[in-house]
Amino acid sequence: MFCPHCGNEIGDTAYFCPYCGETIGFDSYYPMRKRKTNVIAIVGFILSFFIAIAGLICSIIGMKKSEELDGKGMGFAIAGVFISVIWMGIVFFVIIL
């Protein structure tokens, strides 16, 4: 067998190439799945600092989306909801005064 990275001949049971150090085993036969991120939760978190209502809406959508993505982005979504609610409370309190 030949290393797909450097082209040197290696043993058939090798897990990494002794010449270039690249992994040959399991990863080269089965391509890795593309990682999915919860972009809407991250956007909601960022927006919560500047436009609270938009941040709240995006964070809530991000919370729902994180259920589909095995919980990815749930922390950003929860933080976005809290920050948005706090900002809206502060703005409401300033307007009342």
Side-chain angles (χ1 to χ4, degrees):
M1 174 167 91
F2 292 93
C3 174
H5 304 287
C6 68
N8 288 314
E9 188 171 358
I10 57 174
D12 290 337
T13 60
Y15 289 104
F16 66 93
C17 176
Y19 300 102
C20 68
E22 292 291 329
T23 303
I24 305 299
F26 182 78
D27 292 339
S28 65
Y29 295 116
Y30 301 101
M32 293 185 67
R33 291 187 333 196
K34 193 173 185 181
R35 287 182 158 179
K36 293 184 179 181
T37 57
N38 193 346
V39 176
I40 194 75
I42 297 170
V43 169
F45 175 73
I46 294 169
L47 281 177
S48 66
F49 288 101
F50 305 105
I51 307 168
I53 191 72
L56 180 65
I57 292 168
C58 289
S59 294
I60 291 171
I61 294 170
M63 287 175 74
K64 296 291 183 184
K65 182 102 172 150
S66 70
E67 295 170 1
E68 300 169 13
L69 298 174
D70 297 326
K72 292 187 191 235
M74 182 63 89
F76 280 116
I78 291 172
V81 168
F82 281 119
I83 293 168
S84 296
V85 169
I86 289 170
W87 270 116
M88 287 189 296
I90 291 171
V91 168
F92 181 75
F93 183 72
V94 168
I95 290 174
I96 294 298
L97 290 179

